[in-house]
Amino acid sequence: DISQAEEAVVTTVTVPGKGDKVEHQRHNLDDGDVVTFRSPSAAVGSGGMGDQLEGSYYTIKVLDPYSFALVGTDSRSWPSYAENDSSGITCTQVKVTTPVPFSNLRTSLENPEFVETDMFKSWAHAPPILLHQGMAALAAFQEAHDGELPLAWHLQDANEVLNTVRASAKAELDEAKCALVRLMAFTS
């Protein structure tokens, strides 16, 4: 998420761990967001709610556009939201990095995963796995022929590419799919 971190002034905190924002101002947070709190300098060390919240990170669950709950937090032992907290505690969204796992190139080439963008157009006539196998066969052809791609509209070269696809295909290719692979070779 590249958006700027949200900030909100919390006006009331109730047990168990529900925070309400200033009325008529949305907090713009989402379920699962991580937040931290800070108190005005006058309230720090006063023994109020601000001391309990300050410096820790909490995952939230949105209750409505104006309030949220702290997930997995037992706030029963916390002091009540006292007079010395009345100037408001600032809640700040913390941007948390999310690791994105990737497979290595060899694994991805052997077992590709495809994103389905428009099932009705591409999957029926040109399944992504067939296009992947066709491109891999063109690369194998190029490697076997000193960097040269199949000649344009050359049937023998196209059949060589098709045979490479047939060898790697897990299922039998019907005539329409064979024609597609040949077309890839004819026009590469």
Side-chain angles (χ1 to χ4, degrees):
D1 185 5
I2 61 170
S3 63
Q4 190 170 352
E6 297 289 338
E7 279 197 0
V9 176
V10 178
T11 56
T12 58
V13 178
T14 57
V15 173
K18 178 182 173 193
D20 290 320
K21 218 183 104 10
V22 178
E23 288 185 29
H24 308 297
Q25 290 183 2
R26 295 174 176 263
H27 52 65
N28 296 323
L29 298 170
D30 295 318
D31 281 347
D33 280 352
V34 176
V35 297
T36 189
F37 297 89
R38 70 177 189 277
S39 298
S41 57
V44 175
S46 60
M49 182 69 75
D51 287 342
Q52 187 66 41
L53 292 170
E54 184 133 8
S56 297
Y57 295 98
Y58 302 93
T59 303
I60 65 155
K61 177 175 178 13
V62 173
L63 302 175
D64 61 46
Y66 306 98
S67 61
F68 55 87
L70 305 178
V71 176
T73 302
D74 184 7
S75 59
R76 291 178 288 201
S77 64
W78 292 2
S80 63
Y81 193 81
E83 291 297 319
N84 52 14
D85 293 319
S86 62
S87 58
I89 298 170
T90 303
C91 166
T92 305
Q93 180 185 29
V94 178
K95 297 294 184 170
V96 179
T97 58
T98 304
V100 179
F102 289 97
S103 299
N104 63 34
L105 181 60
R106 182 178 311 280
T107 303
S108 294
L109 288 174
E110 292 170 0
N111 299 311
E113 295 178 16
F114 300 102
V115 176
E116 183 177 320
T117 55
D118 190 346
M119 181 178 89
F120 298 107
K121 289 182 183 175
S122 65
W123 290 69
H125 302 294
I129 188 67
L130 182 63
L131 297 176
H132 172 76
Q133 290 167 339
M135 293 302 289
L138 285 171
F141 182 95
Q142 193 173 19
E143 192 174 302
H145 294 275
D146 299 321
E148 296 293 321
L149 287 169
L151 297 173
W153 299 100
H154 191 266
L155 186 59
Q156 184 179 354
D157 288 353
N159 283 335
E160 186 177 335
V161 171
L162 178 60
N163 289 336
T164 305
V165 171
R166 281 187 173 142
S168 67
K170 293 182 168 95
E172 187 64 32
L173 300 178
D174 62 20
E175 190 51 43
K177 292 178 181 169
C178 290
L180 177 65
V181 173
R182 279 193 201 99
L183 183 62
M184 289 176 70
F186 285 152
T187 59
S188 61

